[in-house]
């Protein structure tokens, strides 16, 4: 009995210590937008970030230094750390929104509203803690659903904080902790790394792998920044250089993380330019491809990976075909004025789970909405990228498995039923194991979407259809961020909590959240089921 109590005590110490490390990093991340606020003369926002950073770093140090443990995490511990760690990041990450909303005088907040506009600053909505938690969860999970009705009216500091949160959350806080703190090694580091990412090693050690991920991630973001800045300067020569730099910096972070937050009031539609729509396709596609793919191309000079890599090849093909099909569907429906412009942009945005928007989906016909949900948002981009969704590799595996099972009926009992998939040869037992894992995850994922759709339809209001409910639910679960208008400050708290849980589970691919709930309800002892 004493051994069990001591074991539980050590487990809690280990969990709190790991979460403390994540909070310390979060605190320093939150301190960065303080300088942006100061540059733009938003001193109340700057003070809010400073206070928030001090609170969170102090809280993190209390946990990190206060709990000494020699225990190394087991596999279920790593998953619990991921689930609790991300939940704590979202909750604590909401503090700057709340503090800034309360300490900024109304007349100062109104100064954030662009000249010529007469609406009220959206900063007021973050006085509601639940709104702030949703905004924070949406940011760190790279979703993009927002409580800010008019984004520019919350100030440059908070706009930058949202984009930075998406960027850091895209590569992963646990990966960042391993890269910066490096406090875990060996099996423990591998378990923590695998709890948040694809688990694929790029270097001999996990610490080196984590650092390589961040180097590639940073390099791609810098490329996107230069690409967007130069492209915007060429397409919109009269656009302010200062605004161009700010937009390009924020959008490069939001694009590479496939987060989709924007500095503009109507997302990318705010540019009101067909050429700008096309410019923003590349950052979305870059974000949808896996980091291991970039590692092979950049470090190993395997340039044939652009076509040889199964996920990359499939994403390119599906992006082209899906854009054409959606455009034709929108053309036939007659609900939009430029169906090909909108169809191409919105399908790539959905498949990459970026969530930048150029059209009011609430006005679309049901077949077009169902197509973009099923072929884009639910599928998602590559495993090993920052995307949400079921992931392209799982969808391809399920399709391959279907043909494999059917083909087996035509083979003799003595045939070797080996299947070639993703440059690997799998024996029947191995293939069945992979299929079972992919099918189980896909079923749970679709179950989440189904239940959320029913909750959304009940609580969203009479102006929204069941198709709208499906769209918004799939967007939250897939960390996409496209919205038909259901997500807003007037939404039901029940629905708001539902989306917070979905974004949390969607970012971690559900299993860590289920493991956490199982540990809370039934403990960590093995049980026969």
């Amino acid at each position: 009995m004493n051994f069990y109590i001591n074991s539980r005590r050590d487990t809690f110490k280990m969990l709190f210590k790991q979460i403390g490390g994540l909070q310390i990093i979060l605190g320093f991340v939150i301190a960065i937008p303080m300088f942006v606020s100061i540059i733009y003369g938003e001193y109340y926002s700057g003070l809010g970030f400073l206070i928030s950073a001090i609170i969170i770093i102090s809280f993190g140090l209390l946990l990190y230094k206060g709990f000494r443990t020699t225990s190394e995490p087991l596999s279920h511990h790593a998953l619990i750390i991921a689930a609790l760690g991300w939940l704590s990041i979202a909750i604590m990450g909401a503090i700057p929104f709340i503090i800034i909303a309360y300490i900024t005088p109304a007349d100062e907040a109104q100064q954030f509203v662009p000249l010529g506009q007469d609406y009220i600053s959206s900063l007021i909505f973050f006085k509601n803690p639940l709104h702030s938690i949703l905004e924070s969860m949406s940011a760190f999970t790279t979703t993009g659903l927002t409580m800010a009705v008019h984004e520019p009216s919350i100030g440059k500091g908070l706009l930058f904080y949202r984009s930075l949160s998406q960027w850091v959350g895209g590569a992963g806080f646990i990966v960042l902790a391993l890269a910066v703190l490096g406090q875990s090694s060996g099996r423990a580091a591998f378990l923590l790394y695998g709890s948040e990412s694809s688990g694929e090693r790029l270097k001999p050690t996990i610490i080196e792998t984590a650092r390589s991920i961040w180097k590639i991630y940073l390099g791609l973001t810098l490329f996107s920044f230069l690409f967007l800045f130069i492209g915007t300067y060429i397409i919109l020569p009269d656009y302010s250089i200062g605004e161009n730099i700010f937009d390009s910096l924020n959008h490069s972070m939001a694009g590479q993380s496939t987060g989709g937050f924007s500095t503009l009031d109507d997302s990318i539609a705010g540019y009101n330019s067909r050429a700008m729509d096309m410019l923003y396709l590349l950052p979305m596609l870059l974000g949808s491809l896996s980091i291991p793919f970039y590692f092979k191309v950049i470090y190993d000079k395997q340039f044939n990976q652009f076509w040889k890599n199964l996920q990359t090849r499939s994403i390119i093909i599906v992006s082209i075909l899906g854009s054409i099909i959606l455009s034709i569907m929108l053309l036939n429906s007659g609900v939009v004025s430029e169906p090909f412009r909108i169809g191409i942009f919105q399908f790539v945005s959905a498949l990459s789970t970026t969530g930048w928007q150029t059209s009011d989906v609430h006005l679309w016909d049901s077949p077009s909405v169902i197509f973009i949900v099923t072929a884009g948002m639910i599928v998602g981009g590559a495993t090993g990228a920052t995307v949400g969704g079921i992931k392209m590799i799982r969808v391809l595996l399920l399709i391959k498995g279907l043909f494999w099972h059917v083909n087996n009926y035509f083979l003799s009992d003595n045939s070797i039923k080996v299947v070639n998939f993703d440059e690997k040869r799998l024996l029947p037992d191995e293939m069945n194991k992979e299929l079972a894992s992919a099918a189980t995850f896909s079923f749970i994922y679709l179950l989440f979407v189904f239940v959320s759709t029913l909750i959304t339809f009940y609580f969203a209001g009479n102006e929204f259809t069941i198709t709208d409910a499906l769209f918004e639910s799939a967007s939250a679960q897939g960390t996409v961020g496209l919205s038909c208008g259901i997500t807003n400050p007037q939404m039901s708290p029940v629905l708001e909590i539902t989306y917070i849980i979905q974004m949390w589970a969607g970012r971690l691919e559900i299993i860590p959240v289920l493991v956490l709930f199982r540990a809370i309800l039934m403990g960590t002892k093995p049980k026969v089921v």
Side-chain angles (χ1 to χ4, degrees), residues 151-203:
E151 283 87 343
S153 68
I154 65 174
K156 300 290 189 182
L158 277 178
L159 286 175
F160 181 81
Y161 172 56
R162 299 192 321 159
S163 301
L164 181 65
S165 300
Q166 290 198 322
W167 188 70
V168 174
F173 259 91
I174 292 175
V175 173
L176 180 59
L178 291 171
V180 174
L181 300 178
Q183 80 272 26
S184 299
S185 59
R187 183 172 181 272
F190 179 74
L191 289 172
L192 290 170
Y193 171 66
S195 70
E196 182 185 66
S197 64
S198 65
E200 184 174 346
R201 287 178 184 261
L202 305 180
K203 291 280 191 175

Side-chain angles (χ1 to χ4, degrees), residues 330-368:
L330 291 173
L331 175 66
N332 290 335
S333 70
V335 295
V336 296
S337 58
E338 297 181 274
F340 283 91
R341 172 184 174 182
I342 291 172
I344 293 170
F345 187 91
Q346 292 302 171
F347 188 83
V348 173
S349 181
L351 183 67
S352 66
T353 72
T354 304
W356 281 328
Q357 201 155 345
T358 57
S359 178
D360 185 356
V361 181
H362 180 56
L363 302 177
W364 287 14
D365 61 304
S366 293
S368 297

Side-chain angles (χ1 to χ4, degrees), residues 100-327:
I100 293 172
Y102 271 101
I103 69 173
T104 304
D107 57 338
E108 287 288 334
Q110 204 59 27
Q111 296 299 314
F112 298 152
V113 177
L115 293 175
Q117 303 296 328
D118 59 355
Y119 53 74
I120 298 174
S121 171
S122 292
L123 190 61
I124 191 174
F125 298 124
F126 296 128
K127 290 184 176 182
N128 183 327
L130 190 58
H131 291 351
S132 293
I133 292 173
L134 184 139
E135 194 80 11
S136 177
M137 182 68 81
S138 179
F140 287 109
T141 59
T142 74
T143 304
L145 295 174
T146 181
M147 288 289 108
V149 178
H150 300 287
E151 283 87 343
S153 68
I154 65 174
K156 300 290 189 182
L158 277 178
L159 286 175
F160 181 81
Y161 172 56
R162 299 192 321 159
S163 301
L164 181 65
S165 300
Q166 290 198 322
W167 188 70
V168 174
F173 259 91
I174 292 175
V175 173
L176 180 59
L178 291 171
V180 174
L181 300 178
Q183 80 272 26
S184 299
S185 59
R187 183 172 181 272
F190 179 74
L191 289 172
L192 290 170
Y193 171 66
S195 70
E196 182 185 66
S197 64
S198 65
E200 184 174 346
R201 287 178 184 261
L202 305 180
K203 291 280 191 175
T205 69
I206 292 301
I207 306 301
E208 290 177 316
T209 294
R211 289 169 181 164
S212 294
I213 287 173
W214 272 97
K215 288 178 184 178
I216 294 170
Y217 194 61
L218 176 60
L220 290 168
T221 306
L222 290 174
F223 170 80
S224 290
F225 167 71
L226 292 173
F227 175 79
L228 291 175
F229 174 75
I230 295 171
T232 303
Y233 182 77
I234 294 172
I235 296 169
L236 302 175
D238 295 330
Y239 199 66
S240 165
I241 293 293
E243 289 300 306
N244 187 358
I245 293 173
F246 187 76
D247 287 359
S248 299
L249 178 59
N250 281 270
H251 289 155
S252 63
M253 290 191 289
Q256 187 55 48
S257 65
T258 63
F261 273 148
S262 177
T263 58
L264 306 178
D265 203 1
D266 296 315
S267 190
I268 306 306
Y271 288 117
N272 195 29
S273 167
R274 185 182 296 105
M276 289 297 288
D277 290 0
M278 297 304 105
L279 181 73
Y280 274 79
L281 291 177
L282 182 59
M284 291 192 289
L285 287 171
L286 290 177
S288 70
L289 305 180
S290 72
I291 295 296
F293 158 75
Y294 287 117
F295 183 86
K296 292 176 182 178
V297 172
I298 296 170
Y299 285 90
D300 298 337
K301 311 300 180 186
Q302 297 181 23
F303 299 110
N304 62 345
Q305 286 292 317
F306 279 97
W307 189 252
K308 186 179 179 182
N309 184 277
L310 178 61
Q311 289 196 99
T312 301
R313 182 173 72 244
S314 300
I315 287 170
I316 293 171
I317 293 173
V318 172
S319 294
I320 295 171
L321 294 179
S323 295
I324 294 172
I325 294 171
L326 180 59
S327 298

Side-chain angles (χ1 to χ4, degrees), residues 450-520:
F450 174 74
V451 172
S452 173
T453 299
L454 296 180
I455 295 173
T456 301
F457 185 62
Y458 183 80
F459 286 99
N462 295 330
E463 67 270 29
F464 296 104
T465 66
I466 188 67
T467 307
D468 294 327
L470 171 65
F471 183 88
E472 204 83 3
S473 300
S475 183
Q477 186 64 44
T479 66
V480 181
L482 292 171
S483 177
C484 61
I486 292 176
T487 303
N488 64 79
Q490 285 72 47
M491 69 191 299
S492 164
V494 174
L495 194 51
E496 204 165 346
I497 293 170
T498 300
Y499 288 169
I500 289 171
I501 294 173
Q502 278 192 279
M503 292 186 286
W504 175 40
R507 174 59 180 86
L508 295 173
E509 296 202 329
I510 301 173
I511 301 302
V513 175
L514 296 182
V515 170
L516 173 62
F517 286 147
R518 192 272 192 193
I520 293 172

